[in-house]
Amino acid sequence: MGRWIEVGDRAWVRRHAELDLSLGLVVGDRACLVIDTGAHEAQGAEFAAAIRELTGLPWSVVLTHSHFDHSFGTAAFGECPVWAHPACRADLAETGEAQRSVWAERYREQGRPQEAERIAAARLVLPGRLVGGTADIDLGGRLVRLAHPGPGHSGHDLVAHVPDSALLFAGDLVEQGAPPSFGDAFPSAWPAALDQVLGYGARTVVPGHGEPVDTAFVERQRAELAEVAELCRAAGAGEIAVAEALARSPYPEDFTREALGRAAATA
Ligand SMILES: [Zn+2]
């Protein structure tokens, strides 16, 4: 079950204890936009029902990226426009089944068979409205701008900017309550993606996991990611040992190790 936090005029975040996940909703005069759909159809259905308590307007969905916890609930929203970066669609098509088996297995190992079964049963929906750069979604009386600020947490992150409320849904490009996740990241490009995000001028930024934050938080995370990017560069160039990179990193060892691996793979 989730709980709502209001983050602006007719804009909300649905917070979940599981994975500290944050899903978004922006409502206009004629339509609403759903930002990410949760880890499986049951979570998507609970989210959809909660939205229907706030508005009866037709919805469209935007997926910030392809990771299961953001995209596997989409089928619960039925026939509707689903926006995403073209590489998000490609990645869901390519890795969706692997994500399903890895995460279902992980939840089984944790002694949580119901969660595992829900992930195993989720019908994957491939986005049909593709945006590689920017796209404005007219909700009636207000616009939401979708934008790809470059590779960062994944190769295809999309953010949803609501200019009339100085509000931005950042997906996992920003993470509160835990270090950023590097499993599919582009560590050397991530700081520049956050420069783009900061350039949109939002005052409230909603991360994909954790509580809404202000721009000072995003600036700090950008500085930490720049430190990690520099450590990855220096380690990759042989200027410092891996052990030194791990010791100097602002993030825990396992996160930094993953960043080093991804930096080498994406160089
Ligand atoms: Zn993610």
Side-chain angles (χ1 to χ4, degrees), residues 65 67 69-70 153 172 209:
H65 62 299
H67 289 159
D69 45 336
H70 301 263
H153 168 72
D172 289 357
H209 302 267

Side-chain angles (χ1 to χ4, degrees), residues 12 19 24 144 148 165 208 242 264:
W12 290 268
L19 299 175
V144 178
H148 171 54
S165 291
V242 167

Side-chain angles (χ1 to χ4, degrees), residues 8-11 26-27 140-144 161-167 203:
D9 171 34
R10 293 171 293 159
V26 181
V27 179
R142 78 190 311 192
L143 287 178
V144 178
H161 178 213
V162 192
D164 66 31
S165 291
L167 173 67
R203 287 189 300 277

Side-chain angles (χ1 to χ4, degrees), residues 193-220:
L194 286 191
D195 286 337
Q196 290 278 327
V197 166
L198 287 162
Y200 298 135
R203 287 189 300 277
T204 303
V205 174
V206 179
H209 302 267
E211 297 288 327
V213 299
D214 59 14
T215 51
F217 180 97
V218 179
E219 282 163 4
R220 284 195 300 278

Side-chain angles (χ1 to χ4, degrees), residues 105-173:
E105 183 59 28
R106 201 167 291 185
Y107 277 104
R108 266 182 219 110
E109 284 169 2
Q110 290 172 12
R112 301 183 59 195
Q114 188 188 42
E115 199 73 3
E117 283 317 306
R118 285 170 163 176
I119 292 167
R123 290 166 295 165
L124 297 191
V125 176
L126 296 182
R129 304 284 180 98
L130 302 181
V131 45
T134 61
D136 288 339
I137 298 189
D138 183 357
L139 299 178
R142 78 190 311 192
L143 287 178
V144 178
R145 169 157 286 193
L146 306 182
H148 171 54
H153 168 72
S154 74
H156 54 259
D157 305 286
L158 272 193
V159 300
H161 178 213
V162 192
D164 66 31
S165 291
L167 173 67
L168 185 136
F169 294 84
D172 289 357
L173 280 170

Side-chain angles (χ1 to χ4, degrees), residues 236-256:
E239 293 169 16
I240 61 171
V242 167
E244 187 182 345
L246 297 175
R248 282 169 50 188
S249 173
Y251 297 134
E253 188 172 315
D254 49 339
F255 285 80
T256 308

